[in-house]
Amino acid sequence: MAGTRVFRAPGRVNLIGEHTDYNEGFVMPAAINFATTVTVTPRADRRLSVFSENCGDAIEFDLDDPEPRSASHWSDYVRGVAVVLEQSGRRLNGANLRIRGEVPIGSGLSSSAALEVASAHALLANSGHSVPPVALAKLCQRAENEFVGMRCGIMDQLISSCGQADRALMLDCRSLEYTVLPLPAEVRLVICNTMVKHELANTEYNARRAECEAGVHHFAQSRPNVRALRDVTLAELERSRTDLSEVIYRRCRHVISENARVLEAAAALEASDLEAFGQLMNKSHHSLRDDYEVSCKELDLMVELAGQVEGVYGARMTGGGFGGCTISLVKAENVEGFKRRVASGYEQVTGLAPEIYVCTAAQGAAEVI
Ligand code: ADP
Ligand code: MG
């Protein structure tokens, strides 16, 4: 049909830098070669009709609705983007949107950001607007925060929007500045889904945030310019060890050491030193398991199994924890052996067949020509 255009935006994986985003620290995501595609067809009216092939249902709404409300439905992600774009002063034309997602939904690979970013591209192009990639990511984050009601950081939308093929980004969550880092072509980002999601995740996430705030509060008493754990060094933490409870001390140690690991990992990629990078991934996992206590036996098992396979540089849990996925950095030639050994080892112990996604670092959102 005349005027039909297609846009795609990728999911992502975080290579290192976990639970650092809300401490104004560093993260290192890569966009992956699993994307969400939005096909947009113009309409003469000011209505949006949205259909998801994954969910099988369509929903229609009016851009002139004076009080758009979330409906606790998948379409909130698209409607939220439309609402935020209009609030930002960009008037949108009506459209029919057809969504096809290949990013596993709800597995921590950010199908939500992929949907938002692809929808934003489609809606903007259909209305003759264009928005630079970082600004577009911020608008999508706002849609998820304010319309969907999910308190997420900027990482997912930013990497979906700004990712580059064969590159990871080191993102400073305070300034939103990022550095582009090379990932050698012979390496694969292998994501293993434990297929479990423990109930604890939300309450423990909120508890960790409060524990970090307690740490900040302690340091800010003597140094008022401390705004986040980002502003505290490991040496300062050690000096305060006896003033902090054991738990707060360990939570702070994870965040502060993880920030340092991300910076070291960036230097390792700059130097094409995958061995060093892999060691940092392993250390990140240990810190998340022992100091931050957000792992679980399934994640630990998956990481342990990965570590036994030839051609694996390193492995760690990725995402919030208590289930979800691990990320392993694997030599391309060893990927088949990895899949066989990790899948059978995991299934033997847990009785669960893991899903394994073999990824490369992909380009951020773009029109499909
Ligand atoms: P993640 O981003 O890790 O995949 P989230 O819970 O943040 O998990 O987002 C998943 C939600 O995003 C889904 O429950 C659904 O509402 C929406 N979503 C993502 N992809 C699609 C899709 N292709 N079609 C419809 N809804 C989608
Ligand atoms: Mg999400």
Side-chain angles (χ1 to χ4, degrees), residues 12 77 110-113 144 150 156:
R12 63 98 185 94
Y77 292 88
S110 211
S111 67
S112 58
E144 187 155 341
M150 272 296 301
D156 299 356

Side-chain angles (χ1 to χ4, degrees), residues 48-53 55-61 73-75 97:
L48 290 183
S49 168
V50 193
F51 174 74
S52 163
E53 289 182 15
C55 300
D57 61 337
I59 196 159
E60 200 171 304
F61 40 82
H73 187 259
W74 62 263
S75 60
L97 302 180

Side-chain angles (χ1 to χ4, degrees), residues 194-195 238 271 354 366 368:
T194 60
M195 313 304 281
E238 289 308 322
V368 179

